[in-house]
Amino acid sequence: MTPPVLDLAFAALSDPTRREIVQRLAKGAARVTDLVQPFDMSFNAVSKHLKVLERAGLVRRTRAGREHHIALDPEPIRRIAGWASRYERFWSDRLDKLEAFLKANRKRD
Amino acid sequence: MTPPVLDLAFAALSDPTRREIVQRLAKGAARVTDLVQPFDMSFNAVSKHLKVLERAGLVRRTRAGREHHIALDPEPIRRIAGWASRYERFWSDRLDKLEAFLKANRKRD
DNA sequence: GCTATATTCAACCCATAGGTTGAATATATG
DNA sequence: CATATATTCAACCTATGGGTTGAATATAGC
């Protein structure tokens, strides 16, 4: 049973619009309207993207009157980095590995 | 124009079955049949997952007769790690950031 | 050459994703 | 109070995802 936290985080970040929002939020929290502004897309579309980010835990929402303040929560990104780091060892010697495999499975003649 | 390489890699890794396949491949290349075995799922379903991983560049396929040998290409994972590392700074001081934001936007009375 | 094995291709199904538009809701402000 | 602003909710549309089954294709081995 893999907890779905990585599922949601990876899925949320697979959309370029959402990654752009995350990047924007790295510079500081913002209101929904502020986040809509750079995009050529309806307000509602961005609002939906924010809900996806929120569900994935990448973003926290605090209501202040009629305004919602959206702040980055980098914890899921940290989890992703942790997951990816398991393959660091690979980043240097993948060609060696492939070679070794091909050698091991070479037809014996 | 963000090249879609991260889109594809993040999307591919959002599925737990595919992450499991990647993990399995970290131990060495394998044939399609070998990769199907651990899953309670049709051969064709796994074959489709492999195509997704291949399209995302996470996996390389070399045909050897009727067998296809699937090997991990960790480069996209490296790219993801690079993307995520931009938020490392955040991993320690996000609470400070949130606090600062709330303070800055506190109603003046 | 015939049969078994490894694999993809194609068609289909249903759920979800990403976008739209048109309300509804809640809070500010003159 | 009336109106403008900030935001979600709901319904809809089309495309894609993940799975199935049933071929088709290519290679291996007797």
mmCIF file of all heavy atoms in Angstrom, chain C residues 18-29:
data_model
loop_
_atom_site.group_PDB
_atom_site.id
_atom_site.type_symbol
_atom_site.label_atom_id
_atom_site.label_comp_id
_atom_site.label_asym_id
_atom_site.label_seq_id
_atom_site.Cartn_x
_atom_site.Cartn_y
_atom_site.Cartn_z
ATOM 1 P P DG C 18 -4.790 18.165 -15.041
ATOM 2 O OP1 DG C 18 -3.347 18.077 -15.329
ATOM 3 O OP2 DG C 18 -5.257 18.465 -13.670
ATOM 4 O "O5'" DG C 18 -5.409 19.247 -16.029
ATOM 5 C "C5'" DG C 18 -5.077 19.198 -17.389
ATOM 6 C "C4'" DG C 18 -6.010 20.096 -18.161
ATOM 7 O "O4'" DG C 18 -7.342 19.545 -18.085
ATOM 8 C "C3'" DG C 18 -6.111 21.518 -17.590
ATOM 9 O "O3'" DG C 18 -5.875 22.435 -18.646
ATOM 10 C "C2'" DG C 18 -7.533 21.605 -17.050
ATOM 11 C "C1'" DG C 18 -8.251 20.597 -17.919
ATOM 12 N N9 DG C 18 -9.481 20.048 -17.347
ATOM 13 C C8 DG C 18 -9.686 19.629 -16.064
ATOM 14 N N7 DG C 18 -10.901 19.185 -15.840
ATOM 15 C C5 DG C 18 -11.531 19.314 -17.060
ATOM 16 C C6 DG C 18 -12.868 19.000 -17.443
ATOM 17 O O6 DG C 18 -13.777 18.526 -16.761
ATOM 18 N N1 DG C 18 -13.096 19.297 -18.785
ATOM 19 C C2 DG C 18 -12.169 19.822 -19.648
ATOM 20 N N2 DG C 18 -12.564 20.029 -20.902
ATOM 21 N N3 DG C 18 -10.918 20.125 -19.300
ATOM 22 C C4 DG C 18 -10.668 19.843 -17.996
ATOM 23 P P DG C 19 -5.604 23.978 -18.273
ATOM 24 O OP1 DG C 19 -4.532 24.470 -19.157
ATOM 25 O OP2 DG C 19 -5.453 24.103 -16.813
ATOM 26 O "O5'" DG C 19 -7.013 24.651 -18.656
ATOM 27 C "C5'" DG C 19 -7.298 24.962 -19.985
ATOM 28 C "C4'" DG C 19 -8.786 24.876 -20.282
ATOM 29 O "O4'" DG C 19 -9.382 23.729 -19.650
ATOM 30 C "C3'" DG C 19 -9.674 26.002 -19.760
ATOM 31 O "O3'" DG C 19 -9.547 27.168 -20.570
ATOM 32 C "C2'" DG C 19 -11.060 25.387 -19.936
ATOM 33 C "C1'" DG C 19 -10.795 23.894 -19.739
ATOM 34 N N9 DG C 19 -11.451 23.339 -18.555
ATOM 35 C C8 DG C 19 -10.890 23.076 -17.334
ATOM 36 N N7 DG C 19 -11.736 22.556 -16.475
ATOM 37 C C5 DG C 19 -12.929 22.491 -17.180
ATOM 38 C C6 DG C 19 -14.217 22.010 -16.776
ATOM 39 O O6 DG C 19 -14.548 21.549 -15.675
ATOM 40 N N1 DG C 19 -15.151 22.125 -17.796
ATOM 41 C C2 DG C 19 -14.901 22.630 -19.047
ATOM 42 N N2 DG C 19 -15.909 22.669 -19.900
ATOM 43 N N3 DG C 19 -13.701 23.066 -19.441
ATOM 44 C C4 DG C 19 -12.772 22.966 -18.460
ATOM 45 P P DT C 20 -10.194 28.532 -20.052
ATOM 46 O OP1 DT C 20 -9.641 29.604 -20.905
ATOM 47 O OP2 DT C 20 -10.046 28.593 -18.588
ATOM 48 O "O5'" DT C 20 -11.743 28.336 -20.392
ATOM 49 C "C5'" DT C 20 -12.134 28.129 -21.755
ATOM 50 C "C4'" DT C 20 -13.626 27.831 -21.814
ATOM 51 O "O4'" DT C 20 -13.885 26.644 -21.033
ATOM 52 C "C3'" DT C 20 -14.486 28.906 -21.163
ATOM 53 O "O3'" DT C 20 -14.910 29.850 -22.143
ATOM 54 C "C2'" DT C 20 -15.680 28.137 -20.624
ATOM 55 C "C1'" DT C 20 -15.178 26.714 -20.482
ATOM 56 N N1 DT C 20 -15.100 26.274 -19.060
ATOM 57 C C2 DT C 20 -16.203 25.703 -18.479
ATOM 58 O O2 DT C 20 -17.255 25.543 -19.058
ATOM 59 N N3 DT C 20 -16.040 25.316 -17.184
ATOM 60 C C4 DT C 20 -14.898 25.440 -16.421
ATOM 61 O O4 DT C 20 -14.865 25.050 -15.260
ATOM 62 C C5 DT C 20 -13.782 26.068 -17.095
ATOM 63 C C7 DT C 20 -12.478 26.268 -16.363
ATOM 64 C C6 DT C 20 -13.930 26.450 -18.361
ATOM 65 P P DT C 21 -15.533 31.213 -21.716
ATOM 66 O OP1 DT C 21 -15.717 32.028 -22.929
ATOM 67 O OP2 DT C 21 -14.740 31.728 -20.576
ATOM 68 O "O5'" DT C 21 -16.964 30.800 -21.122
ATOM 69 C "C5'" DT C 21 -17.935 30.223 -21.996
ATOM 70 C "C4'" DT C 21 -19.196 29.926 -21.204
ATOM 71 O "O4'" DT C 21 -18.870 29.023 -20.129
ATOM 72 C "C3'" DT C 21 -19.825 31.171 -20.544
ATOM 73 O "O3'" DT C 21 -21.215 31.192 -20.857
ATOM 74 C "C2'" DT C 21 -19.579 30.978 -19.062
ATOM 75 C "C1'" DT C 21 -19.498 29.459 -18.937
ATOM 76 N N1 DT C 21 -18.637 28.998 -17.819
ATOM 77 C C2 DT C 21 -19.152 28.175 -16.843
ATOM 78 O O2 DT C 21 -20.306 27.801 -16.835
ATOM 79 N N3 DT C 21 -18.265 27.805 -15.872
ATOM 80 C C4 DT C 21 -16.931 28.171 -15.777
ATOM 81 O O4 DT C 21 -16.238 27.776 -14.863
ATOM 82 C C5 DT C 21 -16.465 29.043 -16.836
ATOM 83 C C7 DT C 21 -15.034 29.489 -16.845
ATOM 84 C C6 DT C 21 -17.318 29.404 -17.789
ATOM 85 P P DG C 22 -22.084 32.461 -20.479
ATOM 86 O OP1 DG C 22 -23.125 32.563 -21.511
ATOM 87 O OP2 DG C 22 -21.189 33.598 -20.183
ATOM 88 O "O5'" DG C 22 -22.771 31.989 -19.111
ATOM 89 C "C5'" DG C 22 -23.524 30.782 -19.099
ATOM 90 C "C4'" DG C 22 -24.075 30.539 -17.708
ATOM 91 O "O4'" DG C 22 -23.022 30.050 -16.855
ATOM 92 C "C3'" DG C 22 -24.604 31.808 -17.024
ATOM 93 O "O3'" DG C 22 -25.775 31.467 -16.279
ATOM 94 C "C2'" DG C 22 -23.465 32.215 -16.108
ATOM 95 C "C1'" DG C 22 -22.960 30.839 -15.689
ATOM 96 N N9 DG C 22 -21.603 30.822 -15.181
ATOM 97 C C8 DG C 22 -20.507 31.517 -15.652
ATOM 98 N N7 DG C 22 -19.413 31.285 -14.967
ATOM 99 C C5 DG C 22 -19.813 30.392 -13.990
ATOM 100 C C6 DG C 22 -19.072 29.783 -12.955
ATOM 101 O O6 DG C 22 -17.875 29.908 -12.692
ATOM 102 N N1 DG C 22 -19.868 28.932 -12.178
ATOM 103 C C2 DG C 22 -21.205 28.704 -12.387
ATOM 104 N N2 DG C 22 -21.807 27.859 -11.551
ATOM 105 N N3 DG C 22 -21.913 29.270 -13.356
ATOM 106 C C4 DG C 22 -21.153 30.093 -14.114
ATOM 107 P P DA C 23 -26.668 32.614 -15.657
ATOM 108 O OP1 DA C 23 -27.904 31.956 -15.177
ATOM 109 O OP2 DA C 23 -26.736 33.717 -16.645
ATOM 110 O "O5'" DA C 23 -25.795 33.165 -14.448
ATOM 111 C "C5'" DA C 23 -26.394 33.194 -13.188
ATOM 112 C "C4'" DA C 23 -26.395 31.852 -12.488
ATOM 113 O "O4'" DA C 23 -25.098 31.173 -12.605
ATOM 114 C "C3'" DA C 23 -26.646 32.059 -11.005
ATOM 115 O "O3'" DA C 23 -27.636 31.200 -10.508
ATOM 116 C "C2'" DA C 23 -25.308 31.825 -10.323
ATOM 117 C "C1'" DA C 23 -24.475 31.101 -11.338
ATOM 118 N N9 DA C 23 -23.148 31.735 -11.418
ATOM 119 C C8 DA C 23 -22.718 32.689 -12.310
ATOM 120 N N7 DA C 23 -21.463 33.038 -12.141
ATOM 121 C C5 DA C 23 -21.046 32.267 -11.063
ATOM 122 C C6 DA C 23 -19.811 32.176 -10.391
ATOM 123 N N6 DA C 23 -18.732 32.895 -10.725
ATOM 124 N N1 DA C 23 -19.731 31.322 -9.356
ATOM 125 C C2 DA C 23 -20.806 30.596 -9.019
ATOM 126 N N3 DA C 23 -22.019 30.591 -9.583
ATOM 127 C C4 DA C 23 -22.065 31.462 -10.612
ATOM 128 P P DA C 24 -28.333 31.667 -9.129
ATOM 129 O OP1 DA C 24 -29.440 30.707 -8.893
ATOM 130 O OP2 DA C 24 -28.564 33.128 -9.171
ATOM 131 O "O5'" DA C 24 -27.196 31.404 -8.031
ATOM 132 C "C5'" DA C 24 -26.980 30.080 -7.579
ATOM 133 C "C4'" DA C 24 -25.886 30.074 -6.540
ATOM 134 O "O4'" DA C 24 -24.695 30.656 -7.118
ATOM 135 C "C3'" DA C 24 -26.187 30.895 -5.277
ATOM 136 O "O3'" DA C 24 -25.907 30.087 -4.153
ATOM 137 C "C2'" DA C 24 -25.246 32.087 -5.373
ATOM 138 C "C1'" DA C 24 -24.094 31.500 -6.156
ATOM 139 N N9 DA C 24 -23.294 32.492 -6.899
ATOM 140 C C8 DA C 24 -23.731 33.358 -7.861
ATOM 141 N N7 DA C 24 -22.784 34.114 -8.362
ATOM 142 C C5 DA C 24 -21.650 33.722 -7.688
ATOM 143 C C6 DA C 24 -20.299 34.144 -7.760
ATOM 144 N N6 DA C 24 -19.885 35.095 -8.585
ATOM 145 N N1 DA C 24 -19.411 33.533 -6.934
ATOM 146 C C2 DA C 24 -19.855 32.571 -6.105
ATOM 147 N N3 DA C 24 -21.091 32.088 -5.951
ATOM 148 C C4 DA C 24 -21.943 32.708 -6.776
ATOM 149 P P DT C 25 -26.325 30.630 -2.694
ATOM 150 O OP1 DT C 25 -26.681 29.437 -1.906
ATOM 151 O OP2 DT C 25 -27.279 31.751 -2.867
ATOM 152 O "O5'" DT C 25 -24.974 31.221 -2.098
ATOM 153 C "C5'" DT C 25 -23.880 30.338 -1.876
ATOM 154 C "C4'" DT C 25 -22.694 31.136 -1.393
ATOM 155 O "O4'" DT C 25 -22.233 31.991 -2.468
ATOM 156 C "C3'" DT C 25 -23.013 32.068 -0.228
ATOM 157 O "O3'" DT C 25 -22.167 31.717 0.838
ATOM 158 C "C2'" DT C 25 -22.717 33.470 -0.760
ATOM 159 C "C1'" DT C 25 -21.760 33.174 -1.898
ATOM 160 N N1 DT C 25 -21.699 34.176 -3.003
ATOM 161 C C2 DT C 25 -20.463 34.657 -3.359
ATOM 162 O O2 DT C 25 -19.432 34.326 -2.813
ATOM 163 N N3 DT C 25 -20.471 35.562 -4.389
ATOM 164 C C4 DT C 25 -21.576 36.015 -5.090
ATOM 165 O O4 DT C 25 -21.453 36.818 -5.998
ATOM 166 C C5 DT C 25 -22.842 35.466 -4.661
ATOM 167 C C7 DT C 25 -24.094 35.897 -5.345
ATOM 168 C C6 DT C 25 -22.839 34.577 -3.654
ATOM 169 P P DA C 26 -22.443 32.288 2.323
ATOM 170 O OP1 DA C 26 -22.197 31.183 3.279
ATOM 171 O OP2 DA C 26 -23.719 33.033 2.329
ATOM 172 O "O5'" DA C 26 -21.260 33.341 2.472
ATOM 173 C "C5'" DA C 26 -19.934 32.908 2.226
ATOM 174 C "C4'" DA C 26 -19.057 34.121 2.116
ATOM 175 O "O4'" DA C 26 -19.318 34.793 0.863
ATOM 176 C "C3'" DA C 26 -19.299 35.170 3.205
ATOM 177 O "O3'" DA C 26 -18.033 35.576 3.655
ATOM 178 C "C2'" DA C 26 -20.026 36.289 2.479
ATOM 179 C "C1'" DA C 26 -19.388 36.184 1.107
ATOM 180 N N9 DA C 26 -20.094 36.777 -0.023
ATOM 181 C C8 DA C 26 -21.400 36.619 -0.377
ATOM 182 N N7 DA C 26 -21.740 37.275 -1.472
ATOM 183 C C5 DA C 26 -20.558 37.889 -1.852
ATOM 184 C C6 DA C 26 -20.242 38.742 -2.938
ATOM 185 N N6 DA C 26 -21.117 39.115 -3.869
ATOM 186 N N1 DA C 26 -18.966 39.183 -3.021
ATOM 187 C C2 DA C 26 -18.087 38.808 -2.096
ATOM 188 N N3 DA C 26 -18.265 38.008 -1.033
ATOM 189 C C4 DA C 26 -19.541 37.585 -0.977
ATOM 190 P P DT C 27 -17.874 36.139 5.134
ATOM 191 O OP1 DT C 27 -16.855 35.323 5.828
ATOM 192 O OP2 DT C 27 -19.218 36.345 5.689
ATOM 193 O "O5'" DT C 27 -17.199 37.568 4.858
ATOM 194 C "C5'" DT C 27 -15.946 37.563 4.195
ATOM 195 C "C4'" DT C 27 -15.809 38.824 3.375
ATOM 196 O "O4'" DT C 27 -16.872 38.951 2.412
ATOM 197 C "C3'" DT C 27 -15.858 40.117 4.198
ATOM 198 O "O3'" DT C 27 -14.702 40.818 3.866
ATOM 199 C "C2'" DT C 27 -17.100 40.845 3.678
ATOM 200 C "C1'" DT C 27 -17.103 40.328 2.251
ATOM 201 N N1 DT C 27 -18.338 40.508 1.464
ATOM 202 C C2 DT C 27 -18.279 41.273 0.325
ATOM 203 O O2 DT C 27 -17.250 41.811 -0.063
ATOM 204 N N3 DT C 27 -19.469 41.394 -0.362
ATOM 205 C C4 DT C 27 -20.677 40.825 -0.015
ATOM 206 O O4 DT C 27 -21.677 41.006 -0.709
ATOM 207 C C5 DT C 27 -20.686 40.031 1.187
ATOM 208 C C7 DT C 27 -21.936 39.381 1.646
ATOM 209 C C6 DT C 27 -19.532 39.915 1.872
ATOM 210 P P DA C 28 -13.823 41.607 4.937
ATOM 211 O OP1 DA C 28 -12.666 40.825 5.313
ATOM 212 O OP2 DA C 28 -14.798 42.104 5.945
ATOM 213 O "O5'" DA C 28 -13.310 42.864 4.088
ATOM 214 C "C5'" DA C 28 -14.271 43.510 3.464
ATOM 215 C "C4'" DA C 28 -13.923 44.243 2.246
ATOM 216 O "O4'" DA C 28 -15.043 44.075 1.365
ATOM 217 C "C3'" DA C 28 -13.838 45.717 2.601
ATOM 218 O "O3'" DA C 28 -12.977 46.346 1.670
ATOM 219 C "C2'" DA C 28 -15.299 46.157 2.471
ATOM 220 C "C1'" DA C 28 -15.837 45.265 1.349
ATOM 221 N N9 DA C 28 -17.233 44.839 1.491
ATOM 222 C C8 DA C 28 -17.806 44.077 2.460
ATOM 223 N N7 DA C 28 -19.098 43.871 2.296
ATOM 224 C C5 DA C 28 -19.385 44.539 1.116
ATOM 225 C C6 DA C 28 -20.575 44.703 0.378
ATOM 226 N N6 DA C 28 -21.749 44.179 0.750
ATOM 227 N N1 DA C 28 -20.506 45.433 -0.752
ATOM 228 C C2 DA C 28 -19.333 45.959 -1.123
ATOM 229 N N3 DA C 28 -18.139 45.873 -0.525
ATOM 230 C C4 DA C 28 -18.241 45.145 0.601
ATOM 231 P P DT C 29 -12.441 47.841 2.051
ATOM 232 O OP1 DT C 29 -11.120 48.010 1.387
ATOM 233 O OP2 DT C 29 -12.569 47.985 3.508
ATOM 234 O "O5'" DT C 29 -13.473 48.831 1.367
ATOM 235 C "C5'" DT C 29 -13.772 48.655 -0.016
ATOM 236 C "C4'" DT C 29 -14.872 49.617 -0.441
ATOM 237 O "O4'" DT C 29 -16.180 49.014 -0.239
ATOM 238 C "C3'" DT C 29 -14.892 50.934 0.338
ATOM 239 O "O3'" DT C 29 -15.200 51.962 -0.581
ATOM 240 C "C2'" DT C 29 -16.050 50.728 1.330
ATOM 241 C "C1'" DT C 29 -16.999 49.957 0.417
ATOM 242 N N1 DT C 29 -18.092 49.185 1.071
ATOM 243 C C2 DT C 29 -19.312 49.147 0.446
ATOM 244 O O2 DT C 29 -19.543 49.697 -0.608
ATOM 245 N N3 DT C 29 -20.262 48.403 1.088
ATOM 246 C C4 DT C 29 -20.119 47.729 2.300
ATOM 247 O O4 DT C 29 -21.045 47.106 2.775
ATOM 248 C C5 DT C 29 -18.815 47.831 2.908
ATOM 249 C C7 DT C 29 -18.545 47.143 4.207
ATOM 250 C C6 DT C 29 -17.869 48.546 2.275
#
